[in-house]
Amino acid sequence: MTAIRAAEPYDLSRLMAFDSFPGDRIAEIVERRMLVAEADGVIAGYIAWQTGGCIGKDYVNKLVVDPDYRRHGIAQSLIAELKSVLSGRVFISTGVDNSAAVGLLTRTNWQLAGQIVGLRPADEAEIFYYRDL
């Protein structure tokens, strides 16, 4: 069973065990901009956002699941819980070559907003999606 809750400072060490993304997890936790997913009492993933981070709209800047828990519905559960903390139009993005993320966003009803070339290494396009919560 997966439980979704607001992240707490004591979650940080577990998050860092599987998270390789840059950024300030402490700020996201303290500012209450992160939810974690617990599977059998273990932090299995998280979702974090920037308030007004994309043309004045909320922007999900991290959706990370421990490799040991992938393909168990963790990311879908985290996305579903966004409606409890955000409202209105929300944006998220991924690299065009990240087929797992593109598939997840399609399955969870995100709409294609467009793409930008030049943000990622080797000029891989960054695809932006939105969803009204």
Side-chain angles (χ1 to χ4, degrees):
M1 168 140 194
T2 302
I4 309 296
R5 62 171 175 78
E8 297 293 342
Y10 58 80
D11 297 322
L12 187 61
S13 63
R14 174 64 185 132
L15 295 174
M16 299 316 293
F18 61 85
D19 179 16
S20 62
F21 287 96
D24 189 353
R25 299 306 162 268
I26 299 280
E28 292 164 342
I29 292 170
V30 170
E31 294 170 9
R32 311 305 273 174
R33 296 184 292 112
M34 181 188 291
L35 297 174
V36 295
E38 284 184 316
D40 302 318
V42 175
I43 302 296
Y46 77 92
I47 193 166
W49 59 91
Q50 296 173 324
T51 304
C54 184
I55 57 171
K57 304 288 184 185
D58 294 335
Y59 173 67
V60 175
N61 60 333
K62 293 177 199 75
L63 175 57
V64 183
V65 177
D66 182 321
D68 292 338
Y69 290 90
R70 290 184 183 157
R71 307 262 184 236
H72 291 93
I74 301 292
Q76 288 178 324
S77 295
L78 287 162
I79 287 171
E81 195 63 25
L82 275 177
K83 67 183 179 294
S84 72
V85 291
L86 299 177
S87 62
R89 184 155 289 177
V90 177
F91 285 83
I92 191 170
S93 67
T94 189
V96 70
D97 294 337
N98 188 339
S99 60
V102 169
L104 170 70
L105 296 173
T106 301
R107 284 190 310 278
T108 54
N109 300 315
W110 292 82
Q111 304 299 312
L112 182 63
Q115 66 181 15
I116 299 174
V117 175
L119 294 176
R120 300 179 69 80
D123 287 331
E124 175 191 2
E126 182 81 0
I127 305 173
F128 287 81
Y129 294 83
Y130 71 90
R131 186 169 167 192
D132 294 322
L133 301 177

